[in-house]
């Protein structure tokens, strides 16, 4: 493994989106500074006379997706990945999520990105209308009906239901990792299905992470929508209830990283920790929103560097070797990373 200090900081900027939750109050002492960064892998040019499979211009998923991508400094998309960063009801917390459309659907002339985009759109819509934790209601004076907390599991289920209802998504599948952060209690909750993941870093160590869920090597668990042909062939499909669930109480200074397998297949945990340490040190005099942007950009940039190196002993290469498969170097893929810095006042 090369010395970390050879990594230039900061790396050339990719897209940056930053969000800080509302200033803390006695009732909600936690603030979350969040940034997302991504890079799509090169796509083969579309063949002549191939029909456009994108959502119609007036489709709500396309409008939401384009609004997210319009914040880029340069044009480009996230490939088959997509994400969500969403304030929850009455600034009670924030929901984060990543989804990775399964690329094999392209062989059936299905655009894998439509599933992941629709999934994240519906989950984000569900998060906006729900509390991150217990509702701020006085049971003695409130006449409102009991409201359901927006748990990651509920957001995953509603996101999946949205895909199933979306007539423009004919078929497809995706991994998904969704988390909520509660501004009142500091509780982290997560649901993870497939080989996207997250890592919670405290005092330079990973204190909580989500192992990959797979059916077999390079075949993750995945939410799916099947057409008649795929159903008859017994294609793989999992359900939201198959997701692993996690809970943890956050502390001041925690750093949370959520990512698709384009990152996890190329970057080791030790590298992740050192990259964050260096990036946070480099930006220690900057506002927290700038810090998380830099960390997210550095992580995506480093993953892309690893993809291009045949001499890199990547996590994917090590996993392939365990299956007695020959593979060298990094794995070219879309990569999406969300970084959140926790402040407690």
């Amino acid at each position: 493994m090369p010395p970390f200090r050879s990594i230039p900081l900061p790396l050339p900027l990719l897209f940056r989106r930053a969000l800080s939750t509302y200033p803390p109050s006695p009732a909600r002492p936690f603030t979350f500074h969040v940034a997302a960064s991504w890079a799509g892998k090169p796509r083969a040019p579309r063949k002549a006379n191939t029909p456009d499979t994108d959502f119609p211009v007036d489709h709500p998923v396309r409008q939401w997706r384009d609004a997210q991508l319009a914040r880029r400094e340069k044009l480009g998309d996230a490939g088959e990945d997509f994400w969500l960063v969403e304030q929850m009801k009455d600034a009670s917390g924030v929901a984060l999520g990543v989804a990775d459309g399964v690329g094999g659907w392209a062989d059936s002339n299905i655009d894998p990105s439509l599933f992941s985009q629709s999934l994240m759109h519906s989950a984000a819509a569900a998060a906006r209308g729900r509390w991150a934790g217990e509702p701020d209601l006085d049971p003695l004076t409130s006449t409102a009906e009991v409201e359901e907390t927006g748990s990651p599991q509920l957001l995953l289920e509603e996101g999946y239901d949205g895909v199933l209802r979306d007539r423009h998504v004919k078929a497809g599948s995706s991994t998904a990792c969704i988390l909520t952060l509660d501004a009142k209690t500091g509780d982290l909750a997560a649901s993870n299905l497939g080989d996207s993941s997250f890592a919670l870093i405290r005092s330079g160590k990973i204190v909580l992470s989500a192992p990959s869920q797979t059916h077999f090597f390079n075949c993750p668990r995945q939410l799916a929508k099947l057409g008649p042909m795929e159903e008859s062939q017994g294609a793989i499909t999992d359900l939201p209830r198959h997701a692993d669930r996690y809970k943890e109480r956050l502390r001041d200074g925690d750093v949370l990283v959520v990512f698709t397998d384009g990152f996890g297949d190329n970057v080791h945990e030790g590298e992740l920790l050192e990259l964050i340490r260096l990036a946070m040190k480099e930006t220690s005099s900057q506002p927290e929103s700038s810090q998380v942007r830099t960390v997210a950009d550095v992580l995506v940039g480093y993953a892309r560097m690893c993809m291009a190196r045949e001499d890199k002993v990547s996590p994917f290469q090590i996993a392939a070797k365990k299956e007695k498969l020959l593979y060298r170097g990094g794995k070219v893929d879309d990569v999406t990373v969300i970084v959140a810095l926790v402040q407690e006042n």
Side-chain angles (χ1 to χ4, degrees), residues 9 33 66 80 138 154 186 254 265:
L9 290 176
H33 305 278
D66 289 351
E80 293 156 5
D138 186 338
L154 177 66
D254 284 355
D265 283 341

Side-chain angles (χ1 to χ4, degrees), residues 73-290:
E73 295 174 357
K74 295 183 178 179
L75 294 178
D77 61 30
E80 293 156 5
D81 288 358
F82 218 75
W83 74 97
L84 70 88
V85 176
E86 197 68 45
Q87 290 269 18
M88 301 186 74
K89 185 170 184 177
D90 287 359
S92 58
V94 63
L96 315 173
V98 295
D100 178 9
V102 175
W105 286 95
D107 296 335
S108 302
N109 295 320
I110 299 292
D111 185 345
S113 69
L114 301 187
F115 192 107
S116 58
Q117 292 167 12
S118 183
L119 177 66
M120 291 290 96
H121 168 263
S122 293
R128 281 193 294 274
R130 287 188 167 82
W131 301 88
E134 290 299 319
D136 292 342
L137 300 174
D138 186 338
L140 298 180
T141 61
S142 176
T143 59
E145 295 182 2
V146 177
E147 299 184 56
E148 196 169 11
T149 300
S151 69
Q153 191 64 27
L154 177 66
L155 303 185
L156 183 61
E157 291 168 359
E158 295 213 1
Y160 183 48
D161 287 344
V163 177
L164 297 180
R165 293 192 305 267
D166 191 336
R167 290 182 293 178
H168 196 77
V169 181
K170 304 299 183 185
S173 58
S174 176
T175 66
C177 182
I178 297 180
L179 303 91
T180 60
L181 312 180
D182 188 339
K184 181 164 62 175
T185 63
D187 286 340
L188 173 154
S191 288
N192 184 63
L193 188 139
D195 57 4
S196 293
S197 187
F198 71 89
L200 178 62
I201 298 159
R202 178 177 298 154
S203 301
K205 297 180 180 179
I206 295 176
V207 296
L208 180 67
S209 62
S212 294
Q213 294 182 319
T214 59
H215 290 281
F216 48 86
F217 175 69
N218 206 28
C219 179
R221 281 193 176 272
Q222 53 201 264
L223 302 174
K225 182 176 185 178
L226 306 180
M229 181 178 296
E230 291 80 23
E231 288 181 349
S232 66
Q233 293 174 347
I236 289 174
T237 179
D238 298 290
L239 297 171
R241 62 183 171 81
H242 295 129
D244 289 334
R245 307 180 197 188
Y246 304 85
K247 285 191 175 181
E248 179 72 17
R249 179 63 55 87
L250 296 168
R251 299 181 187 175
D252 183 60
D254 284 355
V255 177
L256 173 68
V257 184
V258 188
F259 50 87
T260 56
D261 68 329
F263 183 83
D265 283 341
N266 287 287
V267 182
H268 296 278
E269 287 187 350
E271 294 175 304
L272 166 63
L273 293 173
E274 187 68 359
L275 286 163
I276 289 176
R277 185 187 71 81
L278 290 171
M280 294 294 284
K281 180 180 179 181
E282 184 80 11
T283 59
S284 59
S285 62
Q286 298 179 16
E288 289 83 0
S289 58
S290 296

Side-chain angles (χ1 to χ4, degrees), residues 1-2 4 7 11 262-268 271-272 275 298-317 327-333 335:
M1 187 180 298
F4 294 111
I7 302 170
L11 291 166
F263 183 83
D265 283 341
N266 287 287
V267 182
H268 296 278
E271 294 175 304
L272 166 63
L275 286 163
V298 165
L299 295 181
V300 170
Y302 186 69
R304 294 183 72 192
M305 289 169 54
C306 294
M307 292 177 196
R309 288 177 49 187
E310 288 191 2
D311 62 337
K312 163 81 175 184
V313 181
S314 66
F316 187 81
Q317 176 178 330
Y327 188 93
R328 290 187 58 190
K331 180 174 180 283
V332 176
D333 201 353
V335 56

